[in-house]
Amino acid sequence: MDFPATLMYSKEHEWVRVEGSRAYIGITDFAQDELGDVVYVDLPEVGATLTQGASFGSVESVKTVSELYAPVSGQVVEVNERLADEPELVNSSPYDEGWMIVVEMTRPEELDGLLSKDAYREMIGQA
């Protein structure tokens, strides 16, 4: 499984890539593997306000439906529209084409509470 060192990870299995004041958010390779084949992704609208730790959507797979939790607070400025027609991108490219939302962070200090690649791998038992 792949866990890029350039990303930060939440205990709820979301990843964050920071570009300036914006956070790109998706689910980890581990999470998509556990879910199985993703068939639907429910994401917020552009303009929605997210609070760290609160649900912002869900991922539906052939096995289950799983909530998505905001790793940082902020306003949604972009949504990956491709996932509406190609939810399988979450499985095939979780860190690139399968990203979910971009958030303009209102509390960037929340990033300090996220996990490094090594800490995340340890949490999931793959250290």
Side-chain angles (χ1 to χ4, degrees), residues 45-62:
E45 299 287 325
V46 169
T49 300
L50 305 184
T51 302
Q52 184 184 43
S55 174
F56 71 84
S58 62
V59 176
E60 184 177 333
S61 72
V62 293

Side-chain angles (χ1 to χ4, degrees), residues 22-74:
R22 293 190 169 182
Y24 285 74
I25 299 169
I27 64 169
T28 67
D29 195 14
F30 174 80
Q32 71 77 24
D33 187 61
E34 290 288 303
L35 284 169
D37 294 337
V38 173
V39 295
Y40 181 74
V41 182
D42 180 35
L43 298 173
E45 299 287 325
V46 169
T49 300
L50 305 184
T51 302
Q52 184 184 43
S55 174
F56 71 84
S58 62
V59 176
E60 184 177 333
S61 72
V62 293
K63 292 184 191 176
T64 188
V65 175
S66 183
E67 292 291 314
L68 298 166
Y69 296 97
V72 294
S73 300

Side-chain angles (χ1 to χ4, degrees), residues 15 17 19 21-26 41-50 56 68 71-72 74-84 96-105:
W15 58 261
R17 182 177 73 236
E19 293 185 9
S21 62
R22 293 190 169 182
Y24 285 74
I25 299 169
V41 182
D42 180 35
L43 298 173
E45 299 287 325
V46 169
T49 300
L50 305 184
F56 71 84
L68 298 166
V72 294
Q75 185 173 39
V76 177
V77 294
E78 195 174 344
V79 174
N80 188 348
E81 301 291 345
R82 287 184 64 192
L83 297 181
D96 295 311
E97 296 177 63
W99 64 272
M100 295 180 175
I101 59 174
V102 180
V103 174
E104 183 71 34
M105 294 182 288

